[in-house]
Amino acid sequence: MLCRAICLLALVLTLAACRPPPDGAGAAARLPPGVTVEIALDAEPRVATVPVNITITRDGAPLAGATVTVTGDMTHAGMIPVVAAATELAPGRYRADAFAFDMVGDWFITAEARLPNGERAVAVKMVRVERVAP
Ligand SMILES: [Cu+2]
């Protein structure tokens, strides 16, 4: 009985500690061994077009030839996700030029990469969009 209470407490603490975005987007983050996917915005997040840079490495070396899609979604229901394809600028460096935030609030950006060997790598970044572009 005590054990069960402790387990339950541990579960509650775990749930409270990380608040994954709705629809399990946080849980969808996955990286094959040795692969890193970094998401960086070109500018301060605001309601405007803000290109998204994605850097992909395997064992520290640039990973070229991936197909990368960037999806922006919000933490409230009823949003149509923003989707933009990224192009490869240099080996391992990808960029979604057309990505645009269309609302103020909390967003999560998902970068999904199909690697040349068929593996799938997914990273998620939380972003708060504070204001409309001047
Ligand atoms: Cu919204």
Side-chain angles (χ1 to χ4, degrees), residues 12-75:
V12 168
L13 288 176
T14 305
L15 291 176
C18 64
R19 285 188 305 162
D23 309 317
R30 55 167 289 149
L31 297 169
V35 173
T36 66
V37 176
E38 224 173 86
I39 301 169
L41 298 180
D42 234 29
E44 178 195 342
R46 59 192 188 281
V47 177
T49 299
V50 179
V52 180
N53 297 291
I54 301 100
T55 305
I56 307 178
T57 66
R58 189 194 294 277
D59 300 326
L63 201 162
T67 303
V68 182
T69 305
V70 177
T71 302
D73 214 330
M74 294 186 75
T75 54

Side-chain angles (χ1 to χ4, degrees), residues 115-128:
L115 307 183
N117 67 358
E119 284 179 315
R120 186 169 162 265
V122 181
V124 181
K125 182 185 179 73
M126 301 298 299
V127 169
R128 169 158 292 176

